[in-house]
Structure formats: structure tokens, C-alpha cells
Amino acid sequence: MESDRDGCSSGGSCGPEVVSVKHLLKCKLSESLVQLACSHRHCAFPGNQNELWIWNTATDQPLCLLGHRHSISAISFGSKINPLLVCSASREYVIVWNLDECIQKGQEGLTPRGIVIGTVLGMVLHVRFSPDDQQVAVCAGNKIYMLSAKNEAILAELDGHLAPVTAAEFCTWEKSMLISVSEDRTFKVWDYSTGQLIYQSGVLTAFPLLSLLIDEENKQFITGCAEGQLWIFSLIPEHNYRCIARINLKREQEKFCNKVWKSGKEIGKGQNTSKLCKTNVRPEGSVETSLPILLIEHCDSIVCFHNEENVYSALKSSYFWIGSSTGLLIINLANFELEAFLSYKAYSDLGIQFAGLCALTRQAVNGKVLCLITSMFEDMIAVLEINVAALVRTQQSDFLPCGNKNSLSVIARLCATGHHCLGLAVRLVFSPPYCGLIKSVVHQFLYEVLCETVESLTDVQVGHIRCSLVIYQASHFVIEVTMLIKHDFPMVNPWCSLLANSPLCKGFKKNMKVPSSKTPRGKSRVEDQPLVFHNKIKSSGYTAAPRMTMFSANNAKKNEVSKWKISCKRKNKEYPLESYPPVKYDRGKSVTSKPTQICCIQYSGDGEMLACGLADKTVLIFNSSLTDTYSAFSGHAGAVNSVGWSHDNKWLVSASEDRTLRVWSVCNKEPALILGKEKFHKPVRFAQFYFIDAFILLSCGAEFHLLSFHLDTTKDDLKRYEQRSVCKLVQKFPVASTVEITSLSAVNDFYSYIVLAAGSNRALEVFDLNVGCSTAVIPEAHTRSVHQICQNKGSSFSTQQPEAYNLFMTTAAGDGIKLWDLRTLRCERRFEGHSSRCYPCGIAVSPCGRFIASGSDDKCAYLYEMHSSTFSHKLGGNADSVINVTFSPSSPQLTTATLDGKLQLFLP
């Protein structure tokens, strides 16, 4: 064995060093070699077939261990650092070496000796130490031998695979659990203390399974085959080893290279995007090669994936190395996408273009990891040092257009509540003898006084009153009283600064000046006052209020206040943020007498009503418990595509296939506003109120419209059929390179400029309506067109972290659910497990931001937790596909809608 050269591969680039070749060794390798090993500062590999070489990368001192007669086929380091053990296996011996003792004996001039723990076990393909280094799992042939690490003893023999076992891993949190994969294309779960088989999978693929890794953090394991396919299985007991995801690594690699090439950034040290893509694009007429997965290892440099310039991710992700014959890949197990790709061909100083074997250190030192690879066609071994931060930084793709330096973000300009809020704080100082008495009565007293004080205002509610006792001085106490007044009249937030030429200014200020058609307390008002010089006159009765009100008892104040208290106690409850998910079936309801598709459902902001748009051209409103029908609206000539509540819960907007839009008053069955077919050239797919009821957003064809409006439900006796409500087009926003907008989403609970649109071209586009243009495009967000965008809006009964409002979900048929971060425009997590291939099944996020619900083709609804990619609950009991789901904003309850027109309510 000889060292060919040492040094770094600069590659002629001025960028940061990505890969440095520490050592390039030429030695005769055995054809039976299948496993190399790397630890914190050591690399282990066979030299001259039967010699075990341990290379200390810190001191550059090699250590040669002799003891095998036949070629070494598998090597593994122990789980602990002190003492550091090494196990080497050949056809005739399995030997465990204590590295510290071997080094000491070498310094003393003695020959290091190991402990033979197994003899004549056959062709060994894999060895692995147990977490406590007391046992060694040896994969020899079709069997797995559990050997003692201290002496020669076979503790258990696991027999069940039909082909050679290629890898085995210990489960660290489950006692006596071992997982193995084999060339028979299955995996098995064992209890190695008793030798019993716990679980056996079916055949996963047509190619042998080569590699295996257990993810302790997420309680799952990953296995890869010789054709470039990755499977992720759950190890949570309730999940019964179900498959979480299947990843086509070849397809992800091609997609990643195309993404990097489009971003126009340099890739790696001394290579560019075109060169990287050329190494991965198959020329015309050439033979397609496989992508065997040789290694799966942890990547602990999570901090390297979010530099200081970017906003940190709202969700924690797990990253893993994937070693293949052509390069090293870093995969994100949250979104199942590649983060970086290191191609062997792209580094001229490496000298190895195709790897036969590879090994990586589990932990990084100063942001760098050690990599050991062997050449597939030559007797050559390379020891590499990879700068993970530099590798990822040079390949990060930025979808924001050039020149846009401001990061996008959803900022709650007002409190995320159902009403506008005013806060009052009072500090009352008392001496200690009176403090207890004052504190006990101050809450009730202030409530009564405040209700009487603000009774002259319109639609005002007294919210939370909090009293807290705080030590003020040595002889005094202070009671801090915080009062929250909720009101429904418009209020401009000073932080909500609109640009002078913003489209939102054209209708927003006008709507703010529109006087209310109702007077306070609902009393009549005399429009034409007689022109006299006296303060009081005897009226003829024609200009006065109706006579019937003259003799009513003057008890309106007490009744109003009492109703106020009841309404306040009901509406000011808080959403339980730590509640159990709504998974227990409570009741069901058929919306019509015959099967009718429920196209859309949505709760009102107060959680009291549920609106349903049906395929039979009607809109129904139910109470939240599905026990009563509030009202039914008819008038559309086509299926209702979408329904949306106003912020004050008084209006409902609906869009239909008949190319019309209608705004309904909840307490009146007649529409307050109708926009007919002459306004739209295509069906209106989506409509909602926007900017706290200042506008209406709707999508039609390949553009969406921003409309300003004023609703007036009063009737003129002479022109009773004339519509008094007015609506005006503010601006149209076209979505680039698409035929039709498939989904549209915006926030109405608080002031936000961001509008998200998805098109039939599979792209997502982000619009800033304050600027009045598109600010970012995410191409190929899914493999198919996105049929729903769901933003994390919270509700008036819950408060989330400010960063959480930047998260939104998208879903497409056959491509699962993706969770995106608006600040980075990256997919942060992917949710798979439900079936959505035949129908576009809807999704929803809970007000607390912890759960995601999804419909499915298999007549079930699925519930995901935000931090997990696999579903936590499967809700059955339906007779047809679940196509819509929605959470109540006021309480933890979930409502599902099916294709045959049935609603189901689920509670915790």
C-alpha cells in the first residue's frame, strides 16, 4: 500500500473549499469487501486484503493490525468512544480490537492482538455493535449471528431471510430489537434476546436492499436498494411499521440538478451548474445506469443549512447522507428533497469517478466530515474531508427574483382576533388590609361600569378583564387591571402603511368612509326635520318614528347588557392549545335527501355556523353542532365552487360554475350583491373577502380580480328589484404561464398584503398587493396542479407564534401535502399516507397550528401532526370519498364532507 498524494482540490476556483483529498492510497482490494468504517477521527479499511489499517486523521499515523488469513469483508467501529472498539470479519474469523490497547502495544514494540469472537461463520457481509458494545450482530449468509464482544460465544441465531443479509441495525430505544434487510428484498424485525421474529415485510422492490439506518429522533428507519429507491418506515408501535414515504433518488437528483442549473449559481469547488447537470443528464442513445444506495448515514450539521442571512426554519428537520456510486447526496427527511449533491466526476483531484464502497463519520468536526471511498474499477482508496456548510451554501437555490432583497413575510397587522381590539391598563394602589377585598370585587365592578359606559357605541363588546396582584412597595400593593374592548367599527392600524399607488388604497379608504345605513341601537331616525325656531313641536306623525315604539317599556338597557354578558362569555373563550386532536366521531348529517356532492365547506369566524356549497346549486348553513339548519340560499345555476365568510360573520360570498358571484346576508335569504355572467368570461373558481372585508378576491381563468364593494340591503318600494349594492373592479392580476388558476388563498382575519395563487402549470406564485405585482414564483411545486392552498391563519380564539403565520400548505392529486415557509419559499415538510388520486381532496390546518387534516379517496380522513410526516390518526366510517375537511376556529372539532353529501363531526 502506498500514498499517491496528499493535498486539497482547489480546482481553480476562488470559492470556499468543499472537498479536500487528505489521502489517496493505492492498495489491493478484495472483491469480497462490502463494508468500510469511519469514526470520529479514525478510518478503517483493509490493506492487501487481509490486513486491517486504522488511519488516525488527526496525527496521520496509520496502524496495521494482523490476525486474518483470508480477505477482510466487513469492518465496523463500536458505539462508544472510550474505549473505541473495532470489529473486522473475514470468512474464518470475526475479531474485536481495542484500539487504545493496540496503539499502546504498537508503541511498546509488541504485536497487537484482538479477541476472536466467531469462527467459520461463512461470507460476512455486515457487522454492527450493539449500543452498549456488549454484543455484535454478524450478517453471514442468510443468517444473523448475535455474538458476545468479549469472548467467543454465539448468543442467538436469527434465521428467516431467503437470501444473504446485507445490513442490520440495533434499535436504541427498544430493548432487544434488531432490524435487518436482505437481498430477498424484505426487512425483518427481531427480538434478538429470544431469537423471535416480530415482524416480516412483503417484497418491496425488484432489486436487493443494500443499506439500512435507524433514525432515533423520528423513530423510523430508512432502507435503500440497488436501483436508487429509498423507503422510510415508522417504528412507532401504533403505526405497525407502515411506510411513511418512498423516494426515487434518481428522479430527485435530476430535479435538484435542474433546479440548481436554473438558479444560475456555481456548484462546488471549481465546477459550475452546466457541468454538474452534464454529469447527470443521460445522453441520447446511451444506456441508463442504476444508482445503488451504498450508504445511509446521519448528517448532524443542521445549522449549516440556514445561514445567518436567512430566517431560520420554523420546523426542525433531519438530514442524512446518501452514498451512491456517482456521488454523495444530502437529503432532508422532512420534505424528502435533496439539499446538496457532491459528484465525484466534478472534482478532478479526486481521481475516483465511480465508487464501489463508501463510509462517513456520523459527527462533524468544525463543520467537516470524513469520507472514505473505494474505486469501483481500480485498487484505490481515498480519504476525503468535506466542508458541509460550503457544499450546501454553493448549491442553495433562491427562487426570489433578482433585485428583490426584502424577504416575504406574513405579519399580523392586527391581533389575530375576530374583532378589532383596544387595550386599557389601569394601576390601582391599595394598602394591604383592603387589597383582598378590592381584588375580589374589582372584576365584576369594572365589567358593569364598562358595559354602561360604552353602551352608546355600535357593536362593542367588553372582552377579557384580567386582575393581577403585584407587590408595589413595602407598604402598598398594586392591582393591574387589563381590559380588552372589542368593536366592529373600522379602525386603521398605523402599522398598516399602504403605498400611495397601492391597489389597496383605491378601495380601502373609500370603504372606510362609507357611513352605516343603520343607526345606533337600531332606532329610526327622522330624515326631514321641520324648519322651526322651537326646540319641541307637535308632530303630525308622518315624520315621526312608528307609534308602536312609544309605549314600549324602557328596559332595553338591562336586556342589552344581559345579552351582552352572555354573548361575551360565550365568544371570549380561548381555543385550548394543548387539547387532544378531534378524532372521536360525534354525529353525522346528510345535507340533502339524495346523494349530492359537497363542493366546499367553511366555518364562520366565531365558530357558530358552517357553510356548505353543494353541487345542486345551493348553499346551506348549519349550526356548529350539525343539529339544525340556519338557512338555505338558492339562485346559482351551477355547482357552488367556493364559499367564504366575512370577518364580521354577517355576509357570505359564493362562487359558482354559472360564472356568477353572489354575496348573501346571513339573516336574509336574498342576495345583497350579484355579479353576473357579463363580468366573467370563465367560471369563478374561488371567491373570498379580503383585507378585513374591504375587498373581494376571486379567480377567473388565468387571473384573479380585486374588487371593492359596498353592500346595501335596504329596499325601495318603487325599485324593489333594483340592486343597491355596488361593486367596482380595482385591478386584475394575471398569473404568468398558466391557463387557469387552480387555487387562491389570502388572509382576511388581519391585514396582510400577501396573496398566493396556484396555476395549471404546477407553479405557485406569490403576489404583494401593496406593490401590486407578483414577487416570487415557485415552479413545479407539485408533480400535478395544486388544487388547494391552505394558509395557517389561526383564529380569533387562539394565538400562535408570529413565525407560524408564514407557513402554508399545498396539495395536489397523487403528490401528498407540502408545508411551505413564505420567508424562504422552501418546502419544509411533506405529509404522505392518505390517498388522493381520483378526486381533489381538501386539507385544513387547526387554529392552534398543531394538526393538519386531509380528505382521502379511501373513505377516510387523515390527521397529521405538524412535526411528523406520517399521519397520527385515521378517521373512518364514511360511505364515500372524503373530499373536504375543516376545523372549527373556536373549539377543537373537525368536520368532514363526503362525495355523497354527508357531514361528520369529530371531537377530542
Side-chain angles (χ1 to χ4, degrees):
M1 182 179 66
E2 57 178 324
S3 176
D4 190 29
R5 67 173 173 270
D6 302 339
C8 299
S9 59
S10 61
S13 174
C14 59
E17 284 187 358
V18 176
V19 177
S20 62
V21 182
K22 304 295 291 184
H23 302 283
L24 192 59
L25 311 172
K26 291 183 179 180
C27 62
K28 189 175 181 181
L29 300 176
S30 172
E31 295 180 358
S32 60
L33 179 63
V34 291
Q35 185 184 10
L36 302 175
C38 283
S39 73
H40 187 60
R41 294 187 181 274
H42 298 85
C43 296
F45 52 89
N48 300 323
Q49 297 186 352
N50 61 352
E51 298 177 356
L52 178 60
W53 284 84
I54 309 295
W55 201 294
N56 190 327
T57 58
T59 61
D60 277 346
Q61 294 296 325
L63 176 65
C64 181
L65 302 178
L66 302 176
H68 291 279
R69 298 178 181 177
H70 292 80
S71 300
I72 298 175
S73 59
I75 309 168
S76 178
F77 280 101
S79 304
K80 298 182 178 180
I81 299 178
N82 188 19
L84 182 59
L85 303 180
V86 183
C87 180
S88 60
S90 62
R91 185 177 295 272
E92 84 288 2
Y93 290 141
V94 178
I95 304 176
V96 172
W97 312 81
N98 188 321
L99 195 56
D100 295 336
E101 293 179 359
C102 293
I103 294 175
Q104 183 177 359
K105 288 184 178 181
Q107 293 175 351
E108 296 174 356
L110 303 176
T111 302
R113 297 294 181 184
I115 302 174
V116 177
I117 62 173
T119 57
V120 196
L121 299 179
M123 180 62 184
V124 178
L125 300 181
H126 189 86
V127 293
R128 182 66 65 194
F129 279 93
S130 62
D132 56 1
D133 285 348
Q134 297 299 313
Q135 301 179 55
V136 179
V138 179
C139 304
N142 300 355
K143 300 180 180 180
I144 304 172
Y145 296 94
M146 300 302 301
L147 307 180
S148 172
K150 297 181 179 180
N151 50 50
E152 186 175 357
I154 299 179
L155 305 178
E157 184 176 328
L158 310 179
D159 188 6
H161 283 287
L162 303 178
V165 182
T166 55
E169 293 287 342
F170 289 89
C171 185
T172 56
W173 66 91
E174 289 287 348
K175 186 178 180 180
S176 303
M177 179 183 285
L178 181 77
I179 302 174
S180 61
V181 295
S182 168
E183 291 183 4
D184 62 6
R185 300 158 293 167
T186 66
F187 73 86
K188 298 182 187 298
V189 182
W190 308 86
D191 185 344
Y192 61 84
S193 62
T194 61
Q196 293 182 352
L197 179 64
I198 300 176
Y199 180 83
Q200 176 179 347
S201 73
V203 176
L204 302 180
T205 176
F207 299 89
L209 299 179
L210 303 180
S211 52
L212 176 67
L213 180 71
I214 292 182
D215 179 14
E216 296 90 353
E217 181 180 356
N218 300 309
K219 293 187 177 180
Q220 58 192 19
F221 71 91
I222 314 159
T223 182
C225 72
E227 187 58 18
Q229 300 285 336
L230 277 176
W231 285 267
I232 304 175
F233 294 92
S234 176
L235 287 176
I236 299 175
E238 296 81 10
H239 294 173
N240 196 25
Y241 307 101
R242 66 168 176 245
C243 181
I244 298 176
R246 178 181 176 181
I247 305 173
N248 188 332
L249 208 59
K250 295 173 62 177
R251 185 175 61 187
E252 292 296 327
Q253 180 177 318
E254 292 177 0
K255 185 170 66 175
F256 176 78
C257 293
N258 292 334
K259 184 171 64 175
V260 173
W261 177 74
K262 290 179 181 179
S263 68
K265 293 187 176 183
E266 292 186 353
I267 304 302
K269 196 75 175 175
Q271 54 181 338
N272 52 34
T273 56
S274 60
K275 185 174 181 179
L276 176 71
C277 294
K278 286 180 181 179
T279 61
N280 296 280
V281 176
R282 182 165 57 93
E284 185 177 355
S286 62
V287 178
E288 183 178 2
T289 59
S290 61
L291 188 69
I293 299 177
L294 308 175
L295 170 76
I296 307 174
E297 188 55 87
H298 290 271
C299 181
D300 68 339
S301 299
I302 300 178
V303 68
C304 301
F305 297 92
H306 304 282
N307 53 40
E308 296 178 355
E309 297 177 358
N310 294 331
V311 188
Y312 65 90
S313 175
L315 299 174
K316 188 176 181 180
S317 302
S318 298
Y319 299 90
F320 290 86
W321 288 99
I322 305 295
S324 67
S325 57
T326 59
L328 296 173
L329 307 96
I330 301 178
I331 191 169
N332 187 336
L333 282 196
N335 56 21
F336 312 135
E337 295 181 356
L338 294 186
E339 299 286 347
F341 172 51
L342 190 151
S343 176
Y344 300 141
K345 290 183 179 180
Y347 293 87
S348 57
D349 290 352
L350 186 55
I352 298 176
Q353 294 188 357
F354 295 95
L357 296 172
C358 63
L360 279 162
T361 55
R362 190 185 184 106
Q363 295 181 348
V365 179
N366 298 326
K368 298 179 180 180
V369 296
L370 291 176
C371 177
L372 184 64
I373 61 173
T374 64
S375 177
M376 182 179 292
F377 305 109
E378 303 178 61
D379 292 334
M380 188 178 297
I381 299 178
V383 181
L384 311 178
E385 189 177 63
I386 303 173
N387 189 328
V388 185
L391 174 64
V392 175
R393 192 181 305 117
T394 54
Q395 297 183 2
Q396 282 181 343
S397 298
D398 190 2
F399 293 102
L400 290 176
C402 297
N404 186 7
K405 298 181 180 179
N406 298 324
S407 61
L408 294 169
S409 183
V410 174
I411 303 175
R413 300 297 184 178
L414 284 178
C415 298
T417 60
H419 307 272
H420 307 287
C421 302
L422 285 175
L424 301 177
V426 182
R427 295 173 65 89
L428 306 176
V429 181
F430 303 95
S431 57
Y434 304 100
C435 189
L437 177 63
I438 293 297
K439 185 180 177 182
S440 63
V441 300
V442 67
H443 186 280
Q444 182 66 25
F445 173 75
L446 286 176
Y447 189 87
E448 297 287 347
V449 173
L450 196 57
C451 289
E452 295 291 338
T453 303
V454 300
E455 66 178 357
S456 60
L457 298 178
T458 304
D459 295 330
V460 177
Q461 293 180 4
V462 180
H464 304 285
I465 300 180
R466 184 176 68 252
C467 302
S468 57
L469 182 63
V470 182
I471 295 178
Y472 182 62
Q473 285 181 351
S475 60
H476 292 82
F477 288 84
V478 60
I479 292 181
E480 293 184 353
V481 183
T482 303
M483 294 168 286
L484 185 66
I485 304 176
K486 295 186 177 181
H487 52 91
D488 282 336
F489 52 83
M491 175 181 177
V492 180
N493 192 299
W495 292 345
C496 188
S497 56
L498 297 176
L499 300 177
N501 57 348
S502 172
L504 301 177
C505 287
K506 298 179 182 179
F508 183 61
K509 293 181 179 180
K510 181 179 178 181
N511 288 348
M512 298 289 292
K513 296 180 181 180
V514 174
S516 175
S517 60
K518 297 182 180 180
T519 58
R521 295 291 171 197
K523 297 181 181 179
S524 301
R525 182 173 58 188
V526 179
E527 297 291 343
D528 301 323
Q529 297 287 348
L531 185 61
V532 295
F533 298 98
H534 303 286
N535 293 331
K536 296 182 180 180
I537 64 169
K538 184 177 180 180
S539 174
S540 61
Y542 292 102
T543 58
R547 186 179 181 86
M548 63 185 67
T549 60
M550 296 176 61
F551 303 101
S552 60
N554 190 16
N555 57 359
K557 287 186 179 181
K558 294 183 179 179
N559 293 337
E560 190 73 19
V561 171
S562 62
K563 292 180 181 178
W564 215 349
K565 294 179 182 178
I566 297 174
S567 176
C568 180
K569 292 180 180 179
R570 184 181 74 251
K571 294 184 179 180
N572 285 337
K573 61 181 180 181
E574 293 185 0
Y575 190 96
L577 299 180
E578 300 299 329
S579 66
Y580 290 101
V583 296
K584 294 182 180 180
Y585 174 78
D586 184 68
R587 62 172 55 92
K589 185 178 184 64
S590 297
V591 295
T592 56
S593 58
K594 58 182 180 180
T596 303
Q597 179 182 349
I598 302 176
C599 302
C600 50
I601 57 176
Q602 188 180 38
Y603 274 101
S604 59
D606 56 4
E608 299 293 332
M609 295 174 285
L610 176 69
C612 303
L614 308 182
D616 65 355
K617 314 169 189 178
T618 60
V619 177
L620 302 180
I621 298 180
F622 300 91
N623 62 350
S624 59
S625 58
L626 303 183
T627 57
D628 191 16
T629 304
Y630 275 160
S631 56
F633 304 114
S634 60
H636 283 294
V640 180
N641 291 326
S642 72
V643 291
W645 289 93
S646 64
H647 187 261
D648 56 9
N649 306 316
K650 297 179 180 179
W651 310 95
L652 188 69
V653 59
S654 62
S656 171
E657 285 288 332
D658 62 358
R659 291 162 43 200
T660 64
L661 179 141
R662 293 171 182 254
V663 179
W664 313 84
S665 173
V666 176
C667 34
N668 190 355
K669 292 186 178 181
E670 296 183 3
L673 176 65
I674 301 177
L675 297 182
K677 299 180 181 180
E678 68 279 357
K679 298 285 186 180
F680 312 110
H681 63 285
K682 287 187 177 182
V684 181
R685 300 294 182 190
F686 182 86
Q688 72 160 84
F689 291 98
Y690 174 60
F691 220 62
I692 310 189
D693 299 344
F695 302 94
I696 292 179
L697 276 177
L698 63 90
S699 64
C700 178
E703 59 188 12
F704 69 89
H705 302 182
L706 180 67
L707 308 175
S708 63
F709 66 96
H710 171 60
L711 302 177
D712 189 354
T713 58
T714 59
K715 297 292 183 180
D716 191 338
D717 292 337
L718 298 179
K719 301 178 181 180
R720 59 184 305 174
Y721 295 104
E722 182 178 344
Q723 180 176 279
R724 302 193 66 176
S725 300
V726 293
C727 185
K728 181 181 179 182
L729 176 65
V730 176
Q731 188 172 335
K732 295 182 180 180
F733 297 88
V735 176
S737 304
T738 189
V739 177
E740 186 177 17
I741 295 178
T742 56
S743 183
L744 191 72
S745 180
V747 177
N748 189 46
D749 294 334
F750 49 83
Y751 292 126
S752 174
Y753 311 135
I754 302 298
V755 175
L756 305 175
S760 56
N761 60 346
R762 300 178 297 167
L764 279 173
E765 195 160 354
V766 184
F767 290 84
D768 187 345
L769 294 200
N770 193 22
V771 182
C773 65
S774 172
T775 57
V777 177
I778 306 176
E780 299 181 359
H782 283 267
T783 57
R784 295 185 182 181
S785 301
V786 175
H787 62 255
Q788 185 179 354
I789 304 172
C790 181
Q791 290 181 263
N792 185 24
K793 306 174 184 179
S795 76
S796 59
F797 302 90
S798 65
T799 302
Q800 302 181 32
Q801 295 295 329
E803 296 83 4
Y805 296 103
N806 294 285
L807 302 177
F808 66 95
M809 279 68 66
T810 59
T811 182
D815 199 28
I817 304 171
K818 289 187 177 182
L819 177 66
W820 304 82
D821 193 327
L822 187 63
R823 296 161 294 181
T824 59
L825 295 178
R826 286 168 44 94
C827 175
E828 298 294 343
R829 186 170 291 277
R830 191 167 179 169
F831 305 91
E832 292 187 354
H834 61 282
S835 175
S836 178
R837 294 180 175 87
C838 302
Y839 299 99
C841 300
I843 57 175
V845 60
S846 63
C848 60
R850 295 167 52 211
F851 305 108
I852 296 175
S854 173
S856 180
D857 293 337
D858 59 359
K859 305 177 184 180
C860 296
Y862 288 79
L863 206 62
Y864 296 87
E865 294 184 7
M866 190 70 75
H867 63 272
S868 176
S869 296
T870 184
F871 62 90
S872 59
H873 296 87
K874 184 177 180 180
L875 312 179
N878 299 286
D880 210 334
S881 300
V882 180
I883 56 175
N884 282 293
V885 292
T886 182
F887 284 96
S888 171
S890 60
S891 60
Q893 67 181 43
L894 172 70
T895 301
T896 64
T898 61
L899 195 63
D900 58 354
K902 291 183 174 60
L903 296 173
Q904 283 193 329
L905 180 64
F906 293 89
L907 300 176

